[in-house]
Amino acid sequence: MLSLRHLARPSSCSRRWAHNIPSFSHLNAVNEQDIAHFSNILAPSSILSTLPSVATPADDLAPYNLDWMGKYHGQANSVLRPRTTEQVSEIVKYCAHRRIGIVPQGGNTGLVGGGISLQKEIVLSLGAMNNVRSFDPVSGILVADAGCILQSLSDYIAPHNHIMPLDLGAKGSCQIGGNISTNAGGLRLLRYGSLHGTVLGLEVVLPDGTILDQLSTLRKDNTGYDLKQLFIGGEGTLGIVTGVSILVPPAPQATNNIFLALPRFDNVLPLFQIVKRQLGEIMSAFEYIDRTAYDMGLKHGLGPLLDAEEVGDSECFILVETSGGNNDHDLEKLNHLLEHLLAADQPLINTGTLSQSPSQFNSIWAMREGLTECCQKEGKPYKYDVSVPLADFQKVVDAVRERMISKGLYGDHAISKVMGYGHVGDGNTILPTSEGRSTYPFVGNLHLNVIAKHGYRPELEAALEPFIYEVVGEYLVSPKALGMDVDDMDPASHKGSVSAEHGIGSMKTHALHYSKSDVSIEWMRKVKQVFDPLNIMNPGKVLP
Amino acid sequence: MLSLRHLARPSSCSRRWAHNIPSFSHLNAVNEQDIAHFSNILAPSSILSTLPSVATPADDLAPYNLDWMGKYHGQANSVLRPRTTEQVSEIVKYCAHRRIGIVPQGGNTGLVGGGISLQKEIVLSLGAMNNVRSFDPVSGILVADAGCILQSLSDYIAPHNHIMPLDLGAKGSCQIGGNISTNAGGLRLLRYGSLHGTVLGLEVVLPDGTILDQLSTLRKDNTGYDLKQLFIGGEGTLGIVTGVSILVPPAPQATNNIFLALPRFDNVLPLFQIVKRQLGEIMSAFEYIDRTAYDMGLKHGLGPLLDAEEVGDSECFILVETSGGNNDHDLEKLNHLLEHLLAADQPLINTGTLSQSPSQFNSIWAMREGLTECCQKEGKPYKYDVSVPLADFQKVVDAVRERMISKGLYGDHAISKVMGYGHVGDGNTILPTSEGRSTYPFVGNLHLNVIAKHGYRPELEAALEPFIYEVVGEYLVSPKALGMDVDDMDPASHKGSVSAEHGIGSMKTHALHYSKSDVSIEWMRKVKQVFDPLNIMNPGKVLP
């Protein structure tokens, strides 16, 4: 399905992040007078600046000017750390008056450069706004400052037998406001749905400094437009989320997981269908790990979860989690599933394991959750987050590896590993416009990781982009690449996503058009213009 | 908790729907030339008009000019029934050019006059756009025209073992586009969440005629602002939804329900907490019916579900539904629950029944779903849909009844019944701003029905409104009315909802301020202004 022409195609577009910083001639840099004004609003300890009057050592600003991957280097000379919504409002009002760009920043764990100052915009860190405002264990409604760290919120509600509706590898650093601003997906989306459903209300400081209080704690409220939805996934370009009201589910009374080794990649989809049917409402995760990623995990001390001999030459691995109300019932369903899988004439799995204790349960999850950190240990990862047909997950990974080989860039001197892992369970299907005319390919969310052993280098990025977007774009834009016989389909309505989870940030503004029609982008611009006519709020992000 | 001053308070506001039609001096009425133009776009059978060139009998327009309750009398002289999105676009472009107001209309089952022409706006009925575009049983993604009737879609996907994520009493008439435009809640919200989570994409004709194609079939797509959310609950004031992509869940392999009689209203909340804990993820509905509503149901042939002697003087009734993957497991949980309830020293229930067959299952649901129709048989119902603390459901109903008695308007000559039923399971809590300072009242969604035996009359409405909004508003606006000792709370952030499900339409524009702050309303206006600067799209609805 992936033809050679993909590999041979010349790059039609060479715009990349580093070369594509927009002109911010409408904005002013922060100066001494501005700092003097901010010191009327904030305590001295809440202002970091390399300007002489404050003279914060540059090293102290580094955590705000460099994302955790070490990929995006910010340019801010000043960072503000307000403690209250009113302080945020005062800061924004002043910045609007003075035409100073603002970059709202949470835990700085984003993967697309959305929280980094591109020129001299000031960084407004939410990290000092980190109080829980209220929690009600009867209804499960949590109200918190935007700067609360996801793990801290989990810890706060755990004694009340509730869990956060989202979970990500970055949970120890990422903040709930950032999660919402980037519409984070993560490991629990399959079970608890997206933040568009679980967020009940937001408090937002708009780009003119107005505080928009939609911090509703009502699960149902049909009174007018649901404006808060615009800020979920708005990446801080329409306003700064300062407070959050979110519905958190009761902790499941029983959780279990299994880890399976599959002889062939092609077994993933049939396995998914069987598991979905047999486990039904208790299936809470279905995660994919390819062989390269698994072996990397083993090397860095994750596992071993399975007997090496039984794993043999398995091509990939699947983690299934269940969350239910009755452990006996859930184990009965899981055991029945495993028996069914192993008793088949042509088993879909080589081997598998069912966790027997909390520590085994955690070990199985560690294999999946630890991969991101392992990538960091291997070098500098280029991270892509795309929707492609499940059947072609491996072909995309292979195509990227072959591309690097053909450029002489594969090996310990350059790109040392290309691997894939991701979420199958919350996948979906690209559909044709008229019924019964497609092969209905099942699309999964692939996290494609390309490890640069000795660090990011322009020639590596030039070899990867836009190549990857074009390979993926073929699937997304052209139904024919999907093997569909659909001459009269409207391609615009069948675009997939060049960013299923990570957002657009500054990295993918030039790739937005792969996923959104011109009309959609035009109306996004109009909405941006209404909320931020001065273009001071996270300028240069999301919209190209 | 409900003081006498509520009852004695004079009406501070006498605006009502009938007296509150906004001036539409910016709009033109439809004339013969307009009809001639529309006949270039549509087939003759798709144009209904009382103007001479078409001369449709007024009776044929009646279904479009009168809502199903017979409460709102529309003024349209013409109705268009396009068959394609392109036709909708052409119509809207022309209406924008000619400054003709447009009322998008689905199944006309709304309860707040949102689909009715207030002056001479043209009605654009979506009813002729009723094709399923595609359905994929693997991923559960359904793409359909907006005019598809909810029941038809249920029937379409049933053979593929899927169900719609929403279910309402009006399912035989209401259309999916109308469901989305009003953000319909209904009977499955507890389990499957709101349409903000299940709708994956929309096709919308904007007020300038542009077709905004966001008909994504991707479950995850973080590429820019999620504009479609504005049209979910936008009540057709920002554009016309013409196509829908929605995630539909697999049909549960087992469904069961129980029906319980409670001696006292105060038992509802403790019962809810026990049921929620014991049934966990399989609980899919928890519905409340008061004694007046139950007796009305019996009178009209619903039930009897329970032995009259065992029911005794029970004050209210609860329907619990479960949906799960294994019938044996689910029945074990339900039987355990019933044993637990009946074995208590002071049982929370007088009696109860567990359905033993599909027909018993349907009979139990019929008691709840049939109430709306019973109200119609009893007279003309004034219908309110409010969020109030669960503990005060009955006090609100009683206060309204006493109000009508005190006005001499209670009895067969005027208001014959005041009753309540509704959704407890998807309730929520009004929280204070600072932790640990409230009684955390649990708020439910009460459908308050006031039956005018001989039809709607101005003096009845004058006695009911704004009285009801003020009674409800006390709970919503003032934490003190909730018994909270919270002097420094910001009331704006604790407003409840004067419309949990039904929307604003034309009925509640003057009550919007009970639920939304001035800032929120101002920003709604700005969003309306961007999308519909000419104010032709469903004018006079939602915004006061």
Side-chain angles (χ1 to χ4, degrees):
Chain A
M1 194 174 284
L2 193 72
S3 66
L4 280 178
R5 70 191 167 86
H6 289 112
L7 307 178
R9 174 184 296 189
S11 291
S12 61
C13 164
S14 64
R15 286 180 297 167
R16 294 194 314 281
W17 179 75
H19 302 159
N20 194 30
I21 295 175
S23 159
F24 288 170
S25 55
H26 66 296
L27 296 178
N28 296 311
V30 180
N31 63 28
E32 292 284 1
Q33 287 73 40
D34 301 322
I35 295 294
H37 184 90
F38 293 134
S39 66
N40 295 328
I41 303 172
L42 300 173
S45 63
S46 301
I47 302 174
L48 291 75
S49 177
T50 53
L51 292 172
S53 63
V54 183
T56 308
D59 277 2
D60 291 2
L61 260 70
Y64 304 94
N65 268 330
L66 187 65
D67 72 310
W68 74 276
M69 293 183 296
K71 185 173 178 190
Y72 298 98
H73 297 264
Q75 305 298 318
N77 64 15
S78 303
V79 175
L80 305 180
R81 293 174 52 84
R83 296 194 162 273
T84 69
T85 302
E86 289 68 31
Q87 288 176 345
V88 175
S89 169
E90 289 303 312
I91 293 166
V92 173
K93 273 181 197 158
Y94 179 80
C95 288
H97 169 71
R98 266 277 292 142
R99 305 287 197 276
I100 294 171
I102 302 169
V103 178
Q105 191 179 83
N108 207 4
T109 62
L111 297 170
V112 291
I116 288 294
S117 171
L118 297 181
Q119 295 192 9
K120 293 286 183 188
E121 312 95 272
I122 203 162
V123 169
L124 193 152
S125 166
L126 278 300
M129 289 180 64
N130 54 7
N131 291 312
V132 171
R133 299 191 192 177
S134 62
F135 176 64
D136 170 38
V138 175
S139 57
I141 295 172
L142 172 70
V143 183
D145 287 349
C148 289
I149 288 173
L150 181 58
Q151 182 67 57
S152 307
L153 294 176
S154 290
D155 294 345
Y156 186 93
I157 61 179
H160 303 285
N161 290 314
H162 280 76
I163 61 171
M164 296 300 289
L166 76 165
D167 187 23
L168 356 168
K171 60 189 162 194
S173 307
C174 65
Q175 298 170 8
I176 190 69
N179 297 149
I180 286 167
S181 296
T182 57
N183 189 28
L187 301 166
R188 288 180 185 154
L189 188 131
L190 172 66
R191 176 64 179 274
Y192 300 111
S194 89
L195 291 167
H196 286 291
T198 51
V199 170
L200 300 178
L202 292 178
E203 177 190 80
V204 181
V205 175
L206 299 177
D208 67 354
T210 303
I211 299 171
L212 179 67
D213 181 355
Q214 294 209 325
L215 208 52
S216 170
T217 52
L218 294 173
R219 189 156 169 195
K220 288 161 66 175
D221 175 28
N222 268 353
T223 56
Y225 312 143
D226 196 355
L227 297 182
K228 71 169 186 288
Q229 301 286 355
L230 291 174
F231 306 100
I232 301 173
E235 301 191 38
T237 62
L238 301 177
I240 304 172
V241 173
T242 52
V244 173
S245 166
I246 187 166
L247 186 68
V248 303
Q253 302 196 20
T255 50
N256 292 283
N257 57 12
I258 55 177
F259 195 79
L260 308 170
L262 281 64
R264 298 179 331 117
F265 179 83
D266 291 347
N267 292 2
V268 175
L269 185 54
L271 179 71
F272 175 65
Q273 292 177 279
I274 289 171
V275 171
K276 189 179 172 190
R277 189 166 61 238
Q278 293 210 8
L279 297 181
E281 72 279 1
I282 65 170
M283 180 169 81
S284 52
F286 192 101
E287 297 285 317
Y288 167 79
I289 299 173
D290 78 5
R291 185 64 193 246
T292 307
Y294 179 77
D295 287 340
M296 178 185 71
L298 289 185
K299 173 181 161 191
H300 292 284
L302 306 178
L305 303 174
L306 302 169
D307 179 86
E309 202 164 314
E310 287 174 5
V311 167
D313 56 357
S314 294
E315 287 183 2
C316 60
F317 302 81
I318 293 291
L319 186 166
V320 180
E321 186 196 59
T322 63
S323 306
N326 182 308
N327 202 43
D328 293 342
H329 290 171
D330 296 358
L331 285 175
E332 195 179 316
K333 285 170 183 148
L334 277 169
N335 279 314
H336 184 263
L337 169 68
L338 288 175
E339 282 163 22
H340 175 89
L341 289 174
L342 292 168
D345 287 341
Q346 294 190 306
L348 294 171
I349 60 174
N350 277 335
T351 181
T353 183
L354 166 62
S355 60
Q356 303 290 335
S357 68
S359 85
Q360 286 179 16
F361 177 87
N362 291 333
S363 296
I364 286 179
W365 264 120
M367 170 59 81
R368 171 64 184 84
E369 294 193 282
L371 291 175
T372 305
E373 201 175 331
C374 292
C375 285
Q376 293 291 120
K377 289 178 181 164
E378 288 282 328
K380 291 291 188 187
Y382 289 96
K383 300 180 90 72
Y384 301 91
D385 164 48
V386 295
S387 295
V388 285
L390 183 59
D392 290 333
F393 264 31
Q394 204 55 49
K395 285 183 192 153
V396 170
V397 172
D398 292 344
V400 173
R401 189 184 297 111
E402 283 160 30
R403 161 89 168 179
M404 302 318 277
I405 292 171
S406 74
K407 296 266 182 190
L409 294 171
Y410 191 75
D412 280 352
H413 64 294
I415 297 298
S416 57
K417 281 189 170 58
V418 180
M419 76 190 88
Y421 48 87
H423 317 297
V424 173
D426 49 18
N428 44 62
T429 301
I430 292 186
L431 292 170
T433 41
S434 38
E435 197 189 346
R437 304 188 63 189
S438 97
T439 55
Y440 290 133
F442 188 84
V443 174
N445 176 191
L446 175 68
H447 293 310
L448 173 66
N449 281 259
V450 182
I451 310 292
K453 183 151 184 162
H454 303 291
Y456 301 118
R457 281 162 27 202
E459 73 269 27
L460 298 179
E461 194 170 329
L464 290 166
E465 297 175 29
F467 173 79
I468 287 174
Y469 294 122
E470 287 175 358
V471 169
V472 172
E474 276 294 305
Y475 291 109
L476 303 179
V477 179
S478 161
K480 285 193 182 163
L482 295 165
M484 295 184 188
D485 175 22
V486 279
D487 287 338
D488 57 352
M489 279 179 61
D490 171 14
S493 64
H494 303 283
K495 292 193 174 189
S497 182
V498 295
S499 193
E501 293 192 328
H502 295 172
I504 297 297
S506 54
M507 173 185 175
K508 298 183 183 175
T509 54
H510 65 284
L512 183 60
H513 69 96
Y514 285 109
S515 286
K516 285 289 195 294
S517 69
D518 291 346
V519 171
S520 291
I521 294 172
E522 179 196 341
W523 282 92
M524 284 183 207
R525 278 192 206 287
K526 290 186 184 184
V527 168
K528 168 76 173 174
Q529 173 70 19
V530 178
F531 281 89
D532 186 20
L534 303 174
N535 192 18
I536 63 165
M537 198 54 77
N538 217 4
K541 315 293 166 59
V542 180
L543 285 163
Chain B
M1 195 173 282
L2 193 73
S3 67
L4 280 179
R5 69 191 167 86
H6 290 114
L7 307 179
R9 173 182 298 189
S11 289
S12 60
C13 166
S14 65
R15 285 180 297 168
R16 293 194 314 281
W17 179 75
H19 302 158
N20 192 31
I21 295 175
S23 158
F24 289 168
S25 55
H26 65 297
L27 296 178
N28 295 311
V30 179
N31 64 28
E32 292 284 0
Q33 289 72 40
D34 301 323
I35 295 295
H37 183 90
F38 293 134
S39 66
N40 294 328
I41 303 172
L42 301 173
S45 62
S46 300
I47 303 175
L48 291 75
S49 177
T50 54
L51 292 173
S53 63
V54 183
T56 307
D59 278 1
D60 291 1
L61 260 72
Y64 304 94
N65 268 330
L66 187 64
D67 71 311
W68 73 277
M69 294 184 296
K71 187 173 178 190
Y72 298 98
H73 296 264
Q75 305 297 318
N77 65 14
S78 304
V79 175
L80 305 180
R81 294 175 50 83
R83 296 193 161 272
T84 68
T85 303
E86 289 67 31
Q87 288 176 346
V88 175
S89 169
E90 289 302 313
I91 292 167
V92 173
K93 273 182 197 158
Y94 179 80
C95 289
H97 169 70
R98 266 277 293 141
R99 305 288 198 275
I100 294 171
I102 302 170
V103 178
Q105 191 179 82
N108 207 3
T109 61
L111 298 170
V112 290
I116 288 293
S117 171
L118 297 182
Q119 295 193 10
K120 294 285 184 188
E121 311 95 271
I122 203 162
V123 169
L124 192 151
S125 165
L126 277 301
M129 289 179 64
N130 55 6
N131 290 311
V132 171
R133 300 191 191 177
S134 62
F135 175 63
D136 171 38
V138 175
S139 58
I141 295 171
L142 173 69
V143 182
D145 286 350
C148 289
I149 289 173
L150 182 58
Q151 181 68 57
S152 307
L153 293 176
S154 291
D155 294 344
Y156 186 93
I157 62 179
H160 303 286
N161 289 313
H162 281 76
I163 60 171
M164 295 300 288
L166 76 165
D167 187 23
L168 355 168
K171 60 190 161 193
S173 308
C174 65
Q175 297 170 10
I176 189 69
N179 296 151
I180 286 167
S181 296
T182 57
N183 189 26
L187 302 166
R188 289 181 185 154
L189 189 130
L190 172 66
R191 177 65 179 274
Y192 300 110
S194 89
L195 291 167
H196 286 291
T198 51
V199 170
L200 301 179
L202 293 178
E203 177 190 80
V204 181
V205 175
L206 299 176
D208 67 354
T210 303
I211 299 172
L212 179 67
D213 180 354
Q214 294 209 325
L215 206 52
S216 170
T217 53
L218 294 172
R219 189 156 169 194
K220 289 161 65 175
D221 175 27
N222 267 351
T223 57
Y225 312 144
D226 197 356
L227 297 181
K228 72 169 184 288
Q229 301 285 355
L230 291 174
F231 306 99
I232 301 174
E235 300 192 39
T237 62
L238 301 177
I240 304 172
V241 173
T242 52
V244 173
S245 165
I246 188 166
L247 187 67
V248 303
Q253 302 195 19
T255 50
N256 291 283
N257 58 13
I258 56 178
F259 194 79
L260 308 170
L262 281 63
R264 298 178 332 114
F265 180 81
D266 292 347
N267 293 3
V268 176
L269 185 53
L271 179 71
F272 175 64
Q273 293 176 278
I274 290 171
V275 172
K276 189 178 172 191
R277 192 166 59 238
Q278 294 209 8
L279 298 181
E281 73 279 0
I282 65 170
M283 181 169 80
S284 52
F286 191 102
E287 297 285 317
Y288 167 78
I289 299 173
D290 78 6
R291 184 64 192 247
T292 307
Y294 179 77
D295 288 341
M296 177 184 71
L298 289 186
K299 173 181 161 192
H300 292 285
L302 306 179
L305 303 173
L306 303 168
D307 179 86
E309 200 164 313
E310 288 174 4
V311 167
D313 56 359
S314 295
E315 288 183 4
C316 59
F317 302 81
I318 293 291
L319 185 166
V320 180
E321 184 195 60
T322 62
S323 305
N326 183 309
N327 201 44
D328 293 341
H329 290 170
D330 296 357
L331 284 175
E332 195 179 317
K333 285 170 185 149
L334 277 169
N335 280 313
H336 184 262
L337 169 68
L338 288 175
E339 283 164 21
H340 175 91
L341 289 174
L342 292 167
D345 288 342
Q346 293 190 308
L348 294 172
I349 60 173
N350 277 336
T351 182
T353 183
L354 167 62
S355 60
Q356 304 288 335
S357 68
S359 83
Q360 287 180 14
F361 177 87
N362 291 334
S363 296
I364 287 179
W365 264 120
M367 170 58 82
R368 171 63 185 84
E369 293 192 282
L371 292 175
T372 305
E373 201 175 331
C374 293
C375 286
Q376 293 289 120
K377 289 178 182 165
E378 287 282 328
K380 290 291 186 187
Y382 288 97
K383 301 181 89 72
Y384 301 91
D385 164 48
V386 295
S387 294
V388 284
L390 182 60
D392 291 332
F393 264 31
Q394 205 53 50
K395 285 183 190 152
V396 170
V397 172
D398 292 344
V400 172
R401 188 183 299 110
E402 284 160 29
R403 161 90 170 180
M404 301 318 279
I405 292 170
S406 74
K407 295 266 180 190
L409 293 172
Y410 192 75
D412 280 352
H413 65 293
I415 296 298
S416 56
K417 282 189 168 57
V418 180
M419 75 191 87
Y421 48 87
H423 317 297
V424 174
D426 49 18
N428 44 62
T429 302
I430 293 185
L431 292 169
T433 41
S434 39
E435 196 188 348
R437 301 188 64 187
S438 98
T439 55
Y440 290 131
F442 188 84
V443 174
N445 176 191
L446 176 68
H447 293 309
L448 174 66
N449 281 261
V450 183
I451 311 290
K453 184 152 185 161
H454 303 292
Y456 301 118
R457 280 161 31 201
E459 71 270 27
L460 299 178
E461 194 170 329
L464 290 166
E465 299 177 28
F467 174 79
I468 288 174
Y469 295 121
E470 287 173 359
V471 170
V472 172
E474 275 296 303
Y475 291 108
L476 304 180
V477 179
S478 160
K480 284 191 182 164
L482 295 167
M484 295 184 190
D485 175 23
V486 279
D487 287 338
D488 56 353
M489 278 178 61
D490 171 15
S493 65
H494 303 284
K495 292 194 174 188
S497 182
V498 294
S499 192
E501 292 192 329
H502 295 172
I504 297 297
S506 54
M507 173 186 176
K508 298 184 183 176
T509 55
H510 65 284
L512 183 62
H513 68 95
Y514 285 110
S515 285
K516 285 289 194 293
S517 68
D518 291 346
V519 172
S520 291
I521 293 172
E522 178 195 342
W523 282 91
M524 283 183 210
R525 277 192 206 288
K526 290 186 184 185
V527 168
K528 169 76 173 174
Q529 172 70 20
V530 178
F531 281 89
D532 186 20
L534 304 175
N535 192 19
I536 62 166
M537 197 54 77
N538 217 4
K541 314 294 166 59
V542 180
L543 285 163

